[in-house]
Amino acid sequence: MRSPQHELPLLAALQACGQRPHSAFYTPGHKQGQGASEPLTALLGRAALQVDLPELPDLDNLFAPEGVIQQAQELAADAFGAERTWFLANGSTCGIEAAILATCLPGEKIILPRNAHQSAIAALILSGAVPIFVNPDYDARWEIAHSIAPAMVAQALEQHPDAKAVLMVYPTYYGVAGDVQAIAHLAHQHGIPLLVDEAHGAHFAFHPELPIAALRAGADLVVQSTHKVLGAMTQAAMLHVQGNRISRDRISRALQLVQSTSPSYVLLASLDAARQQMALNGHELMTQSLSLADTARTQLQQIPGLAVLDETLASSSPGFHALDRTRLTVDVTNLGLTGFAADEILHEQLGVTAELPSLHHLTFIISLGNTPQDIDRLIHAFCTLAKADSEFKIQNSKFKTQNSATPQPPSPSPQHLTPRDAFLAPSESVAIAQAPGRISAALVCPYPPGIPVLLPGEVITAEAVSYLQAVVALGGIVTGCGDALQTLEVVKYSATRLD
Ligand SMILES: Cc1ncc(COP(=O)(O)O)c(C=O)c1O
């Protein structure tokens, strides 16, 4: 018998609605492309606009699904190993916000990594939950924050037995997977759920050589950016739940709060298609991706001056349990270039564009969309870049690497207000020299290593300021501050209890 995974209930319904001859008196205003501007039609094609449709009777409703969306979500739950799946039209961002809103009431504690994605910080602001931060395992050689270590989670749970949930990022942007099984076990011993930000791991369920999928490892709630690594369109994501620690009703209500009431059916149908593709061919597609990535890794490692992040670190770092081999992080320091400079040259002159440049390295995502030609071009580009007489090794300070490593991140600043209270308080901009002692109104994060130094509500320490200045002096970037770290946004004295 043909597997139900061949079906495409949502995509097929959208296609049928798009083709049905009728006069449209509903949104969107372009009416299946009839009124769209010519440049837009030329860009997207009439076919794409024809299926840009709203909640017509045959298309079900994302917030009360009982037709084709429900069927498509059930097939996705089955394919990804969940008991229930929600399609998201606003990325993992809205899934993570909903996950925290559904599990923590104002004033309740959640244990999470210091380097959680900004959507988790947004969720703290929205929910009023109190963060108990766990520092991720930090690799000073690579200037990369890995996962949180199980021992650190155990300590946080012991110190805060009233915590309502644990959140972990699995895998990190660099493809490093923490010990999700051990952390799920710890959370469950304390009777609370493990929420997993698996934005970069939607492919894990489909190949045994990839790190174990968080749902298989026992996570209660998992959010995946289906668009980041699989075939769905940008912003299309999924939230999966299993077990009885998460209220399905609260998830549905929270998702209604953080998503548009007019979700794009094109995005939702792309989730249906991505699920079918993986359910039918996932193993084969991931075998190909792993093989392309392994070829690239082996050849890049042979180019003098390059180093590629690999699994040998797994045994020595408590936050590095496994590596997703389809992520390639390439250190270019010994080419005499910064990662930012290498990125600029690769992108502008050699036809290769990375996902994430940093001070010393660049990260590349190899997915089901890559071809052997892409890998050839990547290797050729690095060979060109690495040549001793490379025309790209311009004697310009911008292109020169800073050999000194960025200093060790400072200890977290004391929290004086909850992120929510700080965010909602009146704020003002002050010169950096006047900032120590004030309360941050913003999330201030240096890259590298992408671990926030200040979160809304935390006291700005002199140590935090000098660390941020050191990162900038070495060529790094700081987000969440004004004018290249000349100013910081702080809570006005009148709104704090420090005055
Ligand atoms: C670790 C992590 N979590 C969550 C997100 C948010 O995902 P999305 O872009 O699908 O909203 C990102 C995006 O880069 C991310 O890197």
Side-chain angles (χ1 to χ4, degrees):
M1 206 181 79
R2 204 168 101 116
S3 149
Q5 289 293 340
H6 282 86
E7 306 301 326
L8 287 162
L10 182 52
L11 187 138
L14 189 60
Q15 197 164 28
C17 282
Q19 285 167 355
R20 190 173 60 91
H22 66 288
S23 293
F25 295 100
Y26 50 76
T27 62
H30 63 69
K31 312 278 166 146
Q32 296 191 279
Q34 290 176 154
S37 84
E38 269 180 33
L40 184 66
T41 310
L43 177 70
L44 297 182
R46 186 64 197 271
L49 292 160
Q50 211 162 349
V51 292
D52 181 22
L53 292 167
E55 279 134 344
L56 298 175
D58 294 344
L59 293 182
D60 207 358
N61 183 321
L62 184 62
F63 300 107
E66 47 186 30
V68 287
I69 292 183
Q70 186 181 19
Q71 289 162 27
Q73 291 185 156
E74 281 171 8
L75 286 167
D78 194 36
F80 286 86
E83 284 171 18
R84 173 136 178 217
T85 292
W86 287 257
F87 282 2
L88 312 176
N90 192 23
S92 285
T93 297
C94 75
I96 292 163
E97 289 168 355
I100 295 181
L101 277 164
T103 44
C104 299
L105 297 173
E108 288 184 342
K109 293 177 184 169
I110 177 165
I111 295 170
L112 73 171
R114 184 73 192 174
N115 60 335
H117 184 254
Q118 53 180 296
S119 54
I121 309 305
L124 298 175
I125 291 168
L126 292 171
S127 66
V130 176
I132 304 299
F133 287 113
V134 171
N135 271 335
D137 178 25
Y138 179 68
D139 183 331
R141 150 71 184 89
W142 280 88
E143 294 186 345
I144 288 177
H146 298 323
S147 173
I148 46 178
M152 301 287 280
V153 175
Q155 197 181 9
L157 283 165
E158 229 146 81
Q159 286 168 359
H160 302 276
D162 51 342
K164 297 295 177 196
V166 176
L167 173 100
M168 77 181 286
V169 178
Y170 175 91
T172 66
Y173 222 130
Y174 305 96
V176 173
D179 193 346
V180 61
Q181 245 161 331
I183 294 174
H185 184 64
L186 284 166
H188 297 164
Q189 272 180 331
H190 283 76
I192 59 173
L194 174 65
L195 321 176
V196 177
D197 172 355
E198 203 177 42
H200 293 271
H203 53 316
F204 286 180
F206 301 96
H207 203 287
E209 289 178 31
L210 291 166
I212 186 171
L215 282 167
R216 250 191 105 205
D220 301 271
L221 182 156
V222 175
V223 181
Q224 298 171 334
S225 293
T226 326
H227 67 95
K228 285 193 198 294
V229 279
L230 301 182
M233 291 172 71
T234 299
Q235 275 187 225
M238 295 189 198
L239 187 157
H240 309 285
V241 161
Q242 67 181 349
N244 56 10
R245 295 183 188 87
I246 303 283
S247 154
R248 274 75 167 152
D249 183 47
R250 285 188 65 170
I251 292 290
S252 293
R253 283 191 287 133
L255 280 173
Q256 212 160 349
L257 201 71
V258 290
Q259 294 203 93
S260 165
T261 52
S262 311
S264 160
Y265 271 86
V266 177
L267 298 190
L268 298 178
S270 81
L271 286 169
D272 202 20
R275 179 275 311 158
Q276 188 225 38
Q277 182 183 30
M278 291 310 285
L280 301 183
N281 305 311
H283 187 272
E284 187 190 333
L285 290 167
M286 289 305 103
T287 303
Q288 282 165 17
S289 297
L290 282 161
S291 158
L292 290 179
D294 289 346
T295 303
R297 182 181 299 277
T298 310
Q299 299 205 23
L300 290 174
Q301 271 163 341
Q302 284 162 12
I303 298 176
L306 298 186
V308 188
L309 184 71
D310 64 27
E311 276 171 311
T312 50
L313 288 172
S315 53
S316 54
S317 301
F320 191 143
H321 194 65
L323 181 71
D324 171 5
R325 304 199 320 261
T326 65
R327 284 287 147 115
L328 292 177
T329 297
V330 183
D331 189 316
V332 293
T333 313
N334 290 334
L335 294 185
L337 293 167
T338 65
F340 297 122
D343 183 54
E344 205 173 302
I345 299 167
L346 289 170
H347 176 68
E348 288 177 6
Q349 305 187 49
L350 295 170
V352 165
T353 305
E355 166 70 15
L356 179 70
S358 189
L359 195 52
H360 296 296
H361 43 73
L362 302 106
T363 301
F364 299 84
I365 299 179
I366 316 273
S367 77
L368 49 78
N370 284 114
T371 61
Q373 290 73 30
D374 291 333
I375 303 301
D376 287 348
R377 190 182 271 202
L378 175 72
I379 293 158
H380 180 74
F382 267 112
C383 285
T384 309
L385 201 60
K387 275 198 198 123
D389 58 349
S390 163
E391 59 185 293
F392 302 112
K393 293 227 180 123
I394 306 153
Q395 293 308 308
N396 175 330
S397 62
K398 177 174 130 190
F399 290 103
K400 282 225 187 112
T401 191
Q402 299 272 359
N403 260 323
S404 38
T406 40
Q408 192 79 11
S411 37
S413 299
Q415 200 182 323
H416 191 79
L417 296 174
T418 63
R420 180 184 173 81
D421 288 344
F423 183 86
L424 296 178
S427 68
E428 61 187 335
S429 178
V430 297
I432 190 93
Q434 266 73 60
R438 301 293 299 268
I439 294 173
S440 182
L443 186 161
V444 182
C445 186
Y447 294 87
I451 306 173
V453 164
L454 295 167
L455 289 165
E458 289 180 346
V459 180
I460 302 171
T461 60
E463 186 197 6
V465 167
S466 6
Y467 174 75
L468 291 170
Q469 286 170 329
V471 173
V472 170
L474 287 167
I477 295 166
V478 176
T479 59
C481 61
D483 325 318
L485 202 56
Q486 296 304 302
T487 58
L488 284 176
E489 193 68 14
V490 300
V491 173
K492 277 196 171 165
Y493 273 125
S494 56
T496 75
R497 282 170 280 126
L498 281 183
D499 47 339

